[in-house]
Amino acid sequence: MKHIQLKLDNWQFRACGEEEWLPAAVPGTVHTDLLRNERIPQPFYGKNEHELQWIDKKDWEYRTVLQLEEKWQHRACTELVFKGLDTYADVYVNDVHVLSADNMFRAWTVNVKGLLRTGENEIRVRFRSVVNEDLPKLEQLGYALPAPNDQSELGGLGGQQISIFARKAPYHYGWDWGPRFLTSGIWREAVLEGRDTVAITDVYIRQNVVNREEARVTVLVEVDAPSGWNGLLRISSGGQEWMKSAAVQPGKQTLEQEVVLDQPRLWWCNGLGAPELTVFRAELLEEGKAVAQTEVTTGLREIKLVRKPDDRGASFYFELNGVRVFAKGANHIPNDSFSTEVTEERYRHEIASAAASNMNMLRVWGGGIYEEEVFYRLCDEYGLLVWQDFMFACSMYPGDGPFLENVREEAVYNVRRLRNHPCIALWCGNNEMDSAWSHYEENMGWGWKEKFSPEIREKLWKDYEAVFHRILPEAVAACHPDVDYWASSPMRDLTHDLNQHATRIAGEGDVHYWGVWHGSEPFENYNVKVGRFMSEYGFQSFPELKSVLSYAEDRDMALESEVMLAHQKNGRGNLLIKEYMDIYLPQPKDFSSFLYMSQILQAEAMRVAIESHRRNKPYCMGTLYWQMNDCWPVASWASMDYYGRWKALQYTARNSYKELLLSIDGSDGNTLKVHAVSDRQEAFEGELQVRLHDFSGAVLQEWSQPVTLAADASDVVFTTGLDGLLEGRESGRVLLTASLLAEGRLLEHKHHYFVSTKEIALTPPHLTVTEVPGSGGLSFKVTSDVLARGVYLTTEEEGIFSDNFFDLLPGETKTVEFFLRGSGEADFVPAAPKGLEIRSMADYVE
């Protein structure tokens, strides 16, 4: 064979210095291998995280033995390839040291020809403790670099925060939603490759001009030849072929072929069109036969970040194939503290949930990992744009030569690895570092720079600029020129003066607004704290009882229990939830009720925020709440818990991100306005029905009028004075409903209350569930005899409902479907719910 590949498996591991070798999984981590061998308890249970901090103080080693045939001795090139080593690792082949690795985010390749023999060959990888490796660097530096999310105290290191020295997933050191587990191990595939002739090592489809009429692309084919080679390069796609002669010298070089496709099938994000994918095939031909070949799947599209000056500052929005996109979505963190445990099914559940929630964008946040290939492939398939951070977050980093070169290699590797994915909409340098340091504004930011002398301040900022204003943008420009780069999120603009930092909401750049939650500001502030692109904001809740019981016992069911505090990483988080709940909601009757009420609270906060952002279109053109998912079972900002169970927020996001939205705003205290928002690319004509009800369901007043809404627009479609509307009626005993109809079909329906939920007296409802005739049990109707708030459906099986946590007036009917959580390539499968139970808020309050 010209090219052979052998996957390395049958691994064993042990702590260095110990005698016993234990079976290991590759890809995997030390923690998960210890767990599978029953050497440690379940890391996520109870307070076990605290008891497992010894693991990262040890060195660990892995080994496997390969049986190689004689043919391996005759390959012109034989390479050992590790797609991911976490983090400081030395590799030995038959006891000969061949490689030292120092970056979790890079692949490592080494030529081992001459070291392998026929028969048995031992590959051994020794992982050095990141703690022992990096503590001396901190001492040598002489001062601590800011890294507030590094939970060094929990790790037994006191105040010695070392996360900034290792090119390792920052969240491994802990975060305000995640545990501290400093993993090590062979976390991506390891293979042995051998070849005799020229090979294709990379293909990049550089998209130069893409529109509905044509796509002009350059196919860049990287080849690696052990010796000179002459032949033909053939590119094919969709039944078309392009061919040219190729003369290849020994070593690596890039061949280029210009390609024009007429009337291309364009890739669109969710809501704008089909995410059409196009396959390109590259072949090296010798005497008419392919000696090397590979296929690349991409999507033909043009994506731009548009920042144009206007009378309120400057725009900040994405334009896809010439169409302005209002970004609707969430921030994504790793799906597990041990990322090798995330299966394709778990990735698909997250991405399918995002698409089913009417999202069109996820932000891969900079404190996690550059995600697995399957994550981006699924985003491609479901039409989700990806705002991709580089892996730097909430810290200041070293600037020595070896560190900067390591970062450069990391950036080039990952940009090249991901650049064919049409989902990639933006490369962003870091999370929150520009505004946290706030170099050009004294006494602003997070108070970091004030702790340093002027000389050290300048050095740290110079180091920052080397990474985020030079190395990373250069990597994007060189390797992925058809996608924009943004230096930090949030940021106003790269001005090199005080107008750069997003330390306050301005009319340009993107915004992380945390006044609600961290600042204890009221939910109502979401209506006025609106920027051009809201890339972070959020509110916490607990997961459901079933998920909490995966890490806690009945005796732990109290806000201030040791286990609950161990699974709340945000300091005062549990008390903050309670403080906000005391303001907006009635008192829950027990702890399990508190879990439910916390989700109602979170969903309401995010509804107010999302609707405000969308009402302010086109001034605001993006809303990405924090956060989509969890890396362990925990109280956090996630809308979907660790087990993939939808919280109330996920259902609220689904409704708030609909293509057509009604939003009722009476926040000024005098006037009530009904806003209609459309993301459709054509004008909408329909009918608006507005009704004032008492809690018995009786209609007290009614309005009906035609509505015309321009394409891609937001407008006020109904206005009335609150005094005239209520006419002396008690505001806590009436509500408003608004419905949007077209051609007799109900497209959107909203309830609006004139007082907080806390001020509304709840009567226990009698809820009725009846099967829809002819549906085969796949859909059912829910009705109530009195006003029912937060109607909550549960079932024995894992899945989602078409809607949940909804309100019902007497006389209203809600038709609901249930979908089993899919497996394999299935998303959500319609099913008749087993063991259906239905409750409402009245069941959970005192």
Side-chain angles (χ1 to χ4, degrees), residues 290-301:
V291 296
Q293 55 195 351
T294 192
E295 283 188 349
V296 168
T297 300
T298 190
L300 299 172
R301 56 92 182 99

Side-chain angles (χ1 to χ4, degrees), residues 275-401:
E276 298 283 4
L277 297 174
T278 303
V279 178
F280 288 85
R281 185 176 182 84
E283 299 170 287
L284 297 178
L285 305 179
E286 187 177 287
E287 297 179 355
K289 294 183 178 180
V291 296
Q293 55 195 351
T294 192
E295 283 188 349
V296 168
T297 300
T298 190
L300 299 172
R301 56 92 182 99
E302 180 184 70
I303 185 77
K304 295 177 180 178
L305 176 62
V306 179
R307 294 188 298 120
K308 290 181 179 178
D310 57 27
D311 58 356
R312 302 178 71 181
S315 66
F316 192 106
Y317 66 86
F318 291 91
E319 186 181 272
L320 177 64
N321 302 326
V323 174
R324 186 177 67 178
V325 178
F326 188 101
K328 300 178 291 189
N331 287 260
H332 161 91
I333 65 170
N335 275 303
D336 208 294
S337 291
F338 312 111
S339 59
T340 55
E341 297 299 291
V342 186
T343 61
E344 178 165 348
E345 186 277 329
R346 286 177 65 184
Y347 275 120
R348 183 177 292 277
H349 178 65
E350 180 196 5
I351 303 306
S353 292
S357 301
N358 299 305
M359 295 182 181
N360 57 25
M361 178 176 278
L362 291 175
R363 174 183 174 225
V364 177
W365 165 79
I369 61 173
Y370 303 94
E371 273 293 356
E372 298 294 335
E373 189 72 19
V374 61
F375 173 88
Y376 302 98
R377 174 171 58 78
L378 289 168
C379 287
D380 292 343
E381 293 174 4
Y382 283 83
L384 292 180
L385 294 164
V386 172
W387 171 313
Q388 177 67 52
D389 283 5
F390 287 94
M391 292 303 115
F392 300 89
C394 302
S395 306
M396 296 298 280
Y397 291 83
D400 57 275

Side-chain angles (χ1 to χ4, degrees), residues 554-565 574 591:
D554 288 341
R555 65 176 179 271
D556 303 315
M557 297 298 167
L559 267 185
E560 297 297 293
S561 74
E562 289 187 349
V563 170
M564 271 333 126
L565 292 176
N574 289 355
F591 186 74

Side-chain angles (χ1 to χ4, degrees), residues 51-68:
E51 310 304 320
L52 298 179
Q53 297 303 311
W54 59 271
I55 298 171
D56 60 45
K57 315 301 188 296
K58 288 179 173 287
D59 295 346
W60 299 88
E61 59 183 341
Y62 284 70
R63 75 172 182 186
T64 186
V65 175
L66 307 180
Q67 290 285 344
L68 297 181

Side-chain angles (χ1 to χ4, degrees), residues 762-833:
L762 296 176
T763 301
H766 176 65
L767 296 165
T768 304
V769 177
T770 55
E771 182 181 322
V772 173
S775 72
L778 298 183
S779 61
F780 50 94
K781 293 181 178 180
V782 182
T783 57
S784 177
D785 62 337
V786 298
L787 173 65
R789 302 294 308 273
V791 176
Y792 177 36
L793 303 167
T794 59
T795 183
E796 295 173 0
E797 299 168 293
E798 295 290 343
I800 66 167
F801 293 90
S802 56
D803 201 1
N804 209 345
F805 299 93
F806 50 82
D807 291 0
L808 273 179
L809 266 173
E812 275 189 329
T813 299
K814 184 78 171 183
T815 301
V816 181
E817 297 172 281
F818 176 69
F819 300 86
L820 279 173
R821 179 167 171 171
S823 59
E825 293 188 5
D827 302 342
F828 301 109
V829 182

Side-chain angles (χ1 to χ4, degrees), residues 629-768:
N629 56 326
D630 272 328
C631 68
W632 72 321
V634 66
S636 83
W637 295 272
S639 57
M640 191 173 74
D641 75 19
Y642 173 72
Y643 299 102
R645 295 166 184 151
W646 283 28
K647 295 183 182 179
L649 169 53
Q650 197 68 53
Y651 289 99
T652 294
R654 184 179 199 176
N655 288 322
S656 298
Y657 283 156
K658 286 193 295 191
E659 183 182 55
L660 289 171
L661 172 75
L662 288 178
S663 177
I664 306 173
D665 178 26
S667 58
D668 70 358
N670 299 312
T671 307
L672 183 138
K673 298 178 180 178
V674 178
H675 298 251
V677 184
S678 173
D679 290 334
R680 292 186 175 182
Q681 295 305 301
E682 66 280 342
F684 169 80
E685 292 187 0
E687 180 188 2
L688 177 70
Q689 292 180 352
V690 179
R691 293 180 174 129
L692 183 70
H693 303 259
D694 63 23
F695 284 180
S696 73
V699 178
L700 306 176
Q701 291 190 67
E702 184 173 11
W703 301 263
S704 180
Q705 64 187 53
V707 170
T708 300
L709 196 61
D712 188 28
S714 172
D715 202 0
V716 176
V717 292
F718 181 84
T719 304
T720 184
L722 281 172
D723 288 342
L725 178 66
L726 295 175
E727 293 181 340
R729 298 181 181 96
E730 189 178 339
S731 58
R733 301 193 62 79
V734 293
L735 77 156
L736 198 79
T737 63
S739 302
L740 192 63
L741 302 94
E743 298 177 351
R745 217 160 46 92
L746 180 64
L747 301 177
E748 167 71 325
H749 183 67
K750 270 289 193 307
H751 293 94
H752 175 77
Y753 301 91
F754 297 95
V755 297
S756 72
T757 303
K758 180 181 180 179
E759 300 174 68
I760 296 175
L762 296 176
T763 301
H766 176 65
L767 296 165
T768 304

Side-chain angles (χ1 to χ4, degrees), residues 458-472:
E458 291 301 322
K459 179 188 183 305
L460 293 184
W461 187 245
K462 180 181 178 183
D463 294 342
Y464 173 95
E465 291 188 311
V467 174
F468 303 106
H469 299 173
R470 178 172 58 84
I471 292 172
L472 299 185

